[in-house]
Amino acid sequence: MHKTVQDIINMKKEKRKISVITSYDYTLASLCDKAGIDVLLVGDSAGMVMLGYENTISVTMDHMCMFTEAVSRARKNALLVSDLPFMSYQASIEDAMNNSGKLIKAGADAVKLEGGSIMAETISAIVDVGIPVMGHIGLQPQTTILSQGYKVQGKTKDTAMKLIQDAKELEDAGVFSIAVEMVSNEVAQIISETVSVPIIGIGSGVNCDGQVLVVQDLLGMYDKIKPKFAKRYMNLAEDIEKSLGDYKKDVESGIFPAKEHWFSMNEEELEKLREEIGS
Ligand code: KIV
């Protein structure tokens, strides 16, 4: 049985840090799951790292359902959370509920949506029908970048107070956890100490209850944006490019394929074939 929302909530109570990683496809999701990551997040960052868009605005429900289905076929142990994409939940509570349902039917255990107190009523409605929700405050890529670009959030007393208030209202609305993006270490700590649900930080310091990274950032596969907070554990892009270059050279020089890579016909049958075609 895979992890549940309650398991993730318990981890905070037991003071165990929660590891979250984005996943969008079967192959990488299988590896993340085998590595024991607690939560696989089908983030709408898929729009950038998988589909090549400039930002997450163009991501659709169809994209998110397809990525969610692929990841759900791979996961065995982790909790699976999927993002509601831009304008799939903001226009009406009905949209939010219908689209949350679609992600659950595609294989998610919970949905994530961006927004502070303004989203509290929507979150309550989704939670009331039995769908667990992860909130997302601080930098909200679907909207913050439209007005401000990628900037650290909550740097003044008033904006920090608003973040803390947002987190409280999301907790009251029933979220099981909150992603907190690009908020100072200090403010993230206060938020984590203020609410009982786990705070999952991205670029928000070490005092969160868990951490999330985009898998392509961690593996060193995506170069377009290199956030300061995204620790690279390897430079896979370099290894992939090298291997592909080696393959090209082998094809051109005839080194590949070698005998162990091809299939041979039985000698007798081959002889008969040659006679038949007169060669
Ligand atoms: O879409 C995403 O990847 C996210 C993160 C919190 C990393 O929302």
Side-chain angles (χ1 to χ4, degrees):
M1 175 63 191
H2 60 76
K3 291 203 168 89
T4 62
V5 158
Q6 192 56 50
D7 293 328
I8 301 305
I9 295 171
N10 291 345
M11 287 179 79
K12 174 163 182 162
K13 292 189 186 136
E14 293 157 9
K15 297 197 184 332
R16 288 159 56 210
K17 295 270 187 179
I18 302 157
S19 56
V20 184
I21 195 79
T22 65
S23 288
Y24 322 99
D25 70 292
Y26 176 84
T27 306
L28 268 185
S30 303
L31 295 173
C32 296
D33 193 74
K34 274 193 209 147
I37 299 292
D38 298 307
V39 181
L40 302 182
L41 171 66
V42 184
D44 60 354
S45 47
M48 298 164 77
V49 296
M50 299 297 286
L51 302 175
Y53 291 121
E54 280 300 306
N55 52 47
T56 58
I57 305 292
S58 309
V59 178
T60 65
M61 274 304 296
D62 284 346
H63 293 143
M64 292 309 295
C65 285
M66 188 193 69
F67 290 127
T68 301
E69 282 169 16
V71 173
S72 80
R73 288 191 279 268
R75 84 74 190 260
K76 290 197 165 58
N77 300 308
L79 182 78
L80 201 171
V81 181
S82 286
D83 262 350
L84 283 162
F86 182 56
M87 289 318 290
S88 68
Y89 58 97
Q90 291 95 335
S92 72
I93 291 185
E94 203 180 321
D95 276 359
M97 290 170 73
N98 286 333
N99 287 322
S100 298
K102 285 186 188 159
L103 292 178
I104 298 296
K105 285 185 186 178
D109 304 313
V111 300
K112 175 166 83 59
L113 59 86
E114 295 179 11
S117 52
I118 196 163
M119 281 297 145
E121 204 186 332
T122 303
I123 290 170
S124 289
I126 303 172
V127 171
D128 281 352
V129 295
I131 299 177
V133 177
M134 180 186 275
H136 183 152
I137 58 172
L139 186 118
Q140 296 161 37
Q142 291 174 13
T143 49
T144 316
I145 54 151
L146 291 175
S147 51
Q148 300 175 24
Y150 290 96
K151 285 215 172 97
V152 178
Q153 303 293 301
K155 281 169 85 176
T156 62
K157 184 207 66 162
D158 289 346
T159 53
M161 279 304 293
K162 167 80 175 106
L163 282 172
I164 296 161
Q165 189 55 33
D166 279 342
K168 281 191 201 161
E169 290 192 34
L170 293 194
E171 180 179 33
D172 291 344
V175 295
F176 75 94
S177 73
I178 306 173
V180 174
E181 182 159 353
M182 278 182 84
V183 165
S184 69
N185 192 40
E186 297 77 15
V187 173
Q189 177 171 7
I190 296 171
I191 295 174
S192 167
E193 288 166 358
T194 305
V195 297
S196 63
V197 295
I199 297 304
I200 309 297
I202 173 153
S204 299
V206 72
N207 297 308
C208 300
D209 307 299
Q211 296 292 330
V212 54
L213 281 180
V214 169
V215 68
Q216 280 80 356
D217 288 340
L218 182 153
L219 298 176
M221 292 171 78
Y222 182 78
D223 269 343
K224 241 167 147 182
I225 301 176
K226 282 186 178 170
K228 163 186 157 115
F229 57 77
K231 179 170 175 183
R232 286 196 168 210
Y233 286 80
M234 62 191 300
N235 193 343
L236 195 54
E238 216 171 85
D239 290 349
I240 291 176
E241 277 173 34
K242 158 114 185 42
S243 303
L244 293 172
D246 290 349
Y247 163 69
K248 179 178 157 64
K249 276 189 225 142
D250 284 359
V251 168
E252 286 168 354
S253 65
I255 288 179
F256 176 81
K259 205 164 177 215
E260 63 269 29
H261 305 121
W262 69 61
F263 308 95
S264 286
M265 200 176 173
N266 172 294
E267 269 304 320
E268 230 172 89
E269 288 301 312
L270 182 59
E271 200 42 49
K272 283 192 222 158
L273 176 67
R274 283 196 172 123
E275 270 169 30
E276 178 100 13
I277 59 172
S279 74

